[in-house]
Amino acid sequence: MTESIINLDSINPIEFFGVNNGKLDLLKKKFPLLKILSRGTQLKLSGAPEEVATAKDKIGQIVKYLERNGNLSEGYFEQILGEEEAGKVDNFTDRNPNDVLVFGPNGRTVRAKTANQQKMVGLAEKNDIVFAIGPAGTGKTYTAVALAVRALKNKAVRKIILTRPAVEAGESLGFLPGDLKEKIDPYLRPLYDALDDMIPAVKLSYFMTNRVIEIAPLAYMRGRTLDNSFIILDEAQNATDLQLKMFLTRIGASAKAIITGDLTQIDLPKNQKSGLEKATRILRHIDGIGYLQLDEEDVVRHRLVKAIIRAYEGAKEEEEQRSGEPRPIIDRRH
């Protein structure tokens, strides 16, 4: 039996322990064979030497991260605890200040938080078109918006264009009051939310008013040539084959585009087929087009989102086994 006391004087203990000790409970769950006690700014570990050593290493990573960044979500806290393969997610403590994508309002820093998000950044730097496919909460849209804002701030592009197919996810927008913009704006809210995190309100209002940043339904792209722009097509699983082809052929010579989507959340009418699967299949090997598959390990929302995704995946597998229908194969090699 070994005992070790860890001092947390260099950080805000509340950020380490979490609200109602939520993060401390995650630590105890990760190391059930250890006795873990918190006393003020100290943490006492008791147990087998190898268990204590492993826990101290994880706690050390978390403390160094908090010393540098000041805060840490429960989901990211759990991600550090769960990471056993060196370098799989990222080196949480040895961050390079240059890996910040955007400095937002009030000193907020926006970074790629997982290995796949970092890979997405690298793909966007090397390719003019990138497909980022994955479930909800994996940060694909948020990272794409951060890359666009960075490009705008660095004057690599003159404008940002954010677009989505105007497909209703089970709700009807047709009976909402207001003009088309007022009907569509709630559907585009996730894009506005991401921008709010990265650009001060006054500056964002200026950009929107002067069309430096444009948010519009996919149908508005028809007939245009999108040049000197960073373009993001979000929720691309709800674009038909013709719509996706139309969008991809709008891209000008000095533009970059990121297409994000989740093939498990297609909201198109039953008589319409998503064009995203076909596009990623026939275009991914073209030079200048990058492809990335994110998964539940990239979820950076609430820690329960990862469990929810896995539960739905498991239920889907059971249903398909009962029905005898094979699951579509998703190639994760790229």
Side-chain angles (χ1 to χ4, degrees):
M1 183 73 71
T2 298
E3 288 189 357
S4 180
I5 295 177
I6 300 172
N7 289 309
L8 305 175
D9 297 328
S10 62
I11 60 172
N12 181 354
I14 295 176
E15 281 296 334
F16 183 91
F17 296 123
V19 179
N20 297 322
N21 286 329
K23 294 175 185 173
L24 181 60
D25 290 341
L26 290 174
L27 181 64
K28 291 178 178 179
K29 184 178 178 181
K30 173 66 178 177
F31 298 100
L33 300 180
L34 287 182
K35 185 177 181 181
I36 303 175
L37 298 175
S38 61
R39 295 175 181 173
T41 60
Q42 289 187 333
L43 200 63
K44 182 179 179 181
L45 310 178
S46 303
E50 61 273 12
E51 283 282 307
V52 171
T54 302
K56 283 183 67 177
D57 178 64
K58 293 294 183 184
I59 292 167
Q61 290 184 47
I62 292 167
V63 168
K64 287 181 181 179
Y65 183 94
L66 285 170
E67 286 174 344
R68 176 167 291 187
N69 297 279
N71 56 72
L72 178 65
S73 70
E74 275 195 15
Y76 207 25
F77 185 96
E78 186 180 37
Q79 194 174 358
I80 296 175
L81 289 179
E83 184 48 54
E84 295 174 358
E85 296 178 31
K88 181 179 176 185
V89 174
D90 62 9
N91 189 337
F92 293 98
T93 57
D94 296 331
R95 287 184 177 274
N96 184 331
N98 293 327
D99 70 0
V100 176
L101 295 177
V102 178
F103 288 98
N106 302 318
R108 181 189 182 99
T109 58
V110 178
R111 308 172 186 262
K113 292 183 176 180
T114 71
N116 275 331
Q117 289 177 13
Q118 289 182 340
K119 186 176 179 182
M120 183 174 168
V121 172
L123 285 172
E125 290 172 348
K126 295 175 183 177
N127 299 276
D128 288 335
I129 298 174
V130 173
F131 286 88
I133 314 300
T138 50
K140 53 192 185 295
T141 299
Y142 198 81
T143 304
V145 173
L147 287 166
V149 171
R150 183 179 71 170
L152 183 66
K153 287 186 174 183
N154 292 342
K155 300 187 182 338
V157 297
R158 290 207 291 260
K159 69 185 303 181
I160 295 172
I161 299 173
L162 310 175
T163 184
R164 275 184 161 194
V167 176
E168 300 152 8
E171 301 87 10
S172 177
L173 300 178
F175 295 101
L176 290 175
D179 57 20
L180 178 61
K181 182 180 184 301
E182 290 170 326
K183 290 176 187 287
I184 293 297
D185 270 0
Y187 186 72
L188 300 171
R189 190 70 249 171
L191 300 174
Y192 287 106
D193 289 343
L195 290 170
D196 286 339
D197 282 352
M198 301 175 199
I199 302 176
V202 173
K203 197 164 190 178
L204 179 57
S205 177
Y206 171 83
F207 284 157
M208 300 286 287
T209 301
N210 291 275
R211 299 177 69 82
V212 175
I213 297 178
E214 179 183 349
I215 304 178
L218 179 59
Y220 282 31
M221 301 299 109
R222 189 174 298 278
R224 299 178 61 181
T225 298
L226 309 175
D227 205 1
N228 293 306
S229 304
F230 199 116
I231 314 141
I232 298 171
L233 171 57
D234 193 33
E235 299 286 340
Q237 76 276 4
N238 290 325
T240 64
D241 189 26
L242 289 176
Q243 286 176 327
L244 205 44
K245 180 181 177 183
M246 176 273 292
F247 170 79
L248 292 168
T249 54
R250 301 302 94 206
I251 297 170
S254 300
K256 279 185 172 287
I258 295 181
I259 297 94
T260 69
D262 178 0
L263 289 168
T264 69
Q265 293 191 9
I266 297 172
D267 301 311
L268 288 166
K270 291 183 179 180
N271 62 339
Q272 292 185 1
K273 192 173 181 180
S274 170
L276 182 59
E277 187 278 330
K278 178 181 177 181
T280 57
R281 176 167 42 85
I282 68 175
L283 301 177
R284 71 167 61 183
H285 298 299
I286 295 177
D287 187 38
I289 297 180
Y291 174 84
L292 176 66
Q293 178 71 48
L294 299 99
D295 56 33
E296 66 271 8
E297 295 302 321
D298 297 296
V299 169
V300 291
R301 291 181 183 170
H302 193 285
R303 61 186 178 84
L304 291 176
V305 174
K306 187 184 298 185
I308 290 168
I309 291 171
R310 287 173 176 167
Y312 272 98
E313 281 290 307
K316 185 176 180 182
E317 287 179 0
E318 290 178 5
E319 290 171 2
E320 288 166 349
Q321 286 173 0
R322 286 197 297 267
S323 66
E325 296 178 2
R327 295 185 71 198
I329 297 174
I330 298 177
D331 187 352
R332 299 180 185 272
R333 294 174 298 175
H334 298 275

